[in-house]
Amino acid sequence: MARGKQEGRTSMTGKRLGVGFVGSGFNARFHLLAFQSVRDADVLGVWSPNHKHAQDMATVARKLDVGEAKPYRSLGEMVADPAIDALWVCGPNFARIENFEEITDAVARGKGELRGIACEKPLGRNVAEAKRVLELTKKAGIAHGYLENQAFAPAVAQGRAIIWARGAALTGRPYLARAAEEHSGPHMPWFWQGKLQGGGVLNDMMCHSSLVVRHLLTPPDAPLGSVRPARVTGHIASLKWSRPAYAKKLQQQMGKDVDYTKAPSEDFASVVIEFETDDGATVIGEATTSWSFVGAGLRLSAELLGPEYSMSWNTLDSGLKLFFSREVKGKTGEDLVEKQNAEMGLMPVVTSESATYGYDAEDRHFVRVFLGRETPQLTFDDGLEVVKMLMTAYMSAEQGKTLDFPPAGIERFVPAVAKGTWKP
């Protein structure tokens, strides 16, 4: 262990957290934007298997003034640097186990020390991988936080707090939550490949929506475990991207390895979760995800309903809208909203996406967790539970029936989509 690093750990009072990023893609850059709102941390490092990408992201971090980030040639080198106190793991799903093995091996051999690891969704491509990530991290004795930005979205957090404080306190607990995440498809080719990503849109985005409904149905002063999944009904479909014309278009955009005429992934998924609560109630969560949604861009939405109240949230119900006529023919981009689909007509603008989607509050929380100032709201144990939920939904879809949770065999289950054998 580096001496300077160990000395810096005797007391974290007043100390800033030195953060290193594993990965340099689209999601990692959302976190960089969020760190502009985090007061007690600095982004000091980036590692990516593509060193040029790591250099580029470090440059962005410095331009945003979130820290004097530098690129590292290896993950082990970044872990060993005394300046790095915690890691934000944002690499691709297929590299998750490899990344965690290298991180925890460096710590176990005394090459470095970490106060914490925050990991993006999903924790693993299946239950076996998620369990491996959890076991490696616990064995290394590193504090952990599961990154689920939508649970930290300001509208979700404030709406949930008010509903429970006013509506539920006076008329009874909520009984139905809905959540959806919908857009026109991922940015990178590996997301579209079941074997690399672990599935399709269900594995990619249902981790958000299934946790959000459970979060909304859980009292703010109670743990997630007080609202337990009991029965799961899942459904998957390829509604758009396996159609011949769109499969061809997708391959032209993403490359020859993405062929939805031969190895499609689902672009639509839904799940109904029956929860049992500590007070004996049965409550319902409905979650939907889609890569086949065509609108202004990414749409996140949620609802919570109870005996005498309801709440609703939709990120495209923006307070700012712009209109461009047919004469405004600028270049395509994502300057108005993530996964933007148009540049003319009446367009909503999400003015601060990292804040609206929950990244700012999420990163602020986990920095404070690793500084010892807060208790983690979500850990890798919760991330493992989410993966069990996703795999149960896949198993339910394949078997065409509702399953008790957790079903037998879930520890070893790999979805047909991830095997490349699924036929829509």
Side-chain angles (χ1 to χ4, degrees):
M1 182 193 312
R3 185 182 173 198
K5 196 165 193 174
Q6 187 175 19
E7 289 176 347
R9 303 197 185 279
T10 56
S11 173
M12 293 297 285
T13 303
K15 188 184 186 304
R16 299 176 66 79
L17 194 75
V19 174
F21 271 85
V22 179
S24 56
F26 181 82
N27 172 265
R29 296 189 183 220
F30 249 113
H31 283 289
L32 283 188
L33 293 173
F35 267 89
Q36 294 176 107
S37 299
V38 179
R39 297 182 61 183
D40 37 13
D42 298 299
V43 179
L44 300 180
V46 183
W47 174 80
S48 170
N50 185 315
H51 191 63
K52 175 64 165 58
H53 291 174
Q55 290 175 317
D56 291 346
M57 182 162 158
T59 299
V60 172
R62 293 192 297 270
K63 285 181 177 179
L64 292 173
D65 199 24
V66 296
E68 290 300 313
K70 67 177 184 180
Y72 290 83
R73 288 286 180 181
S74 74
L75 187 46
E77 179 190 11
M78 185 164 70
V79 173
D81 190 333
I84 302 298
D85 300 302
L87 298 181
W88 258 238
V89 179
C90 304
N93 299 4
F94 58 83
R96 188 77 81 232
I97 298 299
E98 178 185 347
N99 290 163
F100 269 87
E101 286 179 343
E102 186 170 354
I103 293 165
T104 55
D105 179 67
V107 171
R109 291 188 294 110
K111 299 296 184 182
E113 185 183 356
L114 295 172
R115 291 192 62 86
I117 304 178
C119 183
E120 263 295 346
K121 59 79 186 174
L123 199 62
R125 290 178 293 183
N126 48 60
V127 175
E129 286 193 358
K131 286 186 69 176
R132 176 68 173 155
V133 168
L134 177 61
E135 289 165 357
L136 285 168
T137 308
K138 286 188 171 181
K139 186 177 180 181
I142 307 169
H144 43 93
Y146 177 59
L147 294 170
E148 174 41 67
N149 57 286
Q150 289 178 35
F152 291 88
V156 171
Q158 189 164 357
R160 173 181 181 244
I162 295 171
I163 283 286
W164 278 94
R166 295 176 67 88
L170 296 173
T171 66
R173 67 171 307 127
Y175 41 64
L176 176 62
R178 298 187 178 108
E181 180 171 7
E182 304 160 291
H183 59 61
S184 56
H187 290 88
M188 299 297 291
W190 69 266
F191 278 99
W192 297 89
Q193 298 173 66
K195 291 183 179 181
L196 295 180
Q197 195 254 105
V201 72
L202 193 155
N203 204 51
D204 180 35
M205 302 198 315
M206 190 63 77
C207 38
H208 295 301
S209 303
S210 64
L211 191 143
V212 166
V213 295
R214 187 179 185 186
H215 177 69
L216 289 171
L217 291 165
T218 304
D221 58 351
L224 273 178
S226 65
V227 178
R228 297 174 298 280
R231 288 159 59 83
V232 176
T233 309
H235 182 81
I236 63 174
S238 184
L239 300 179
K240 175 178 179 178
W241 293 107
S242 60
R243 293 186 178 189
Y246 285 101
K248 182 179 180 180
K249 181 179 179 181
L250 182 62
Q251 189 169 52
Q252 290 171 342
Q253 292 174 339
M254 295 293 163
K256 62 180 179 60
D257 292 332
V258 179
D259 187 348
Y260 269 38
T261 64
K262 296 179 180 177
S265 298
E266 79 280 358
D267 60 17
F268 174 86
S270 67
V271 62
V272 176
I273 310 163
E274 299 174 42
F275 296 98
E276 294 177 352
T277 72
D278 277 355
D279 56 2
T282 296
V283 295
I284 303 294
E286 296 180 348
T288 302
T289 54
S290 176
W291 287 344
S292 51
F293 170 74
V294 178
L298 170 69
R299 180 171 70 180
L300 307 179
S301 60
E303 292 183 308
L304 183 61
L305 295 87
E308 299 292 341
Y309 53 83
S310 65
M311 65 163 271
S312 63
W313 171 57
N314 186 327
T315 55
L316 294 185
D317 289 342
S318 169
L320 175 62
K321 292 181 171 61
L322 305 178
F323 177 81
F324 297 106
S325 79
R326 297 186 187 97
E327 300 305 312
V328 182
K329 299 176 182 179
K331 64 180 181 179
T332 61
E334 293 189 39
D335 52 331
L336 306 182
V337 61
E338 182 188 335
K339 307 295 192 301
Q340 189 173 320
N341 287 322
E343 280 71 37
M344 64 174 62
L346 186 63
M347 292 289 296
V349 181
V350 180
T351 53
S352 178
E353 290 185 293
S354 66
T356 299
Y357 303 153
Y359 287 93
D360 292 24
E362 167 187 66
D363 288 338
R364 190 180 306 118
H365 168 68
F366 284 112
V367 163
R368 293 182 60 78
V369 167
F370 298 149
L371 288 172
R373 299 172 189 167
E374 293 183 14
T375 300
Q377 293 186 30
L378 294 169
T379 68
F380 288 1
D381 297 275
D382 299 303
L384 173 58
E385 185 86 347
V386 168
V387 175
K388 287 182 179 179
M389 181 76 66
L390 303 183
M391 294 303 108
T392 303
Y394 272 119
M395 186 183 285
S396 167
E398 290 183 15
Q399 296 182 12
K401 63 181 182 181
T402 299
L403 299 177
D404 291 337
F405 180 87
I410 198 64
E411 307 278 341
R412 300 175 303 279
F413 177 74
V414 176
V417 182
K419 295 176 181 177
T421 59
W422 180 65
K423 302 300 179 187

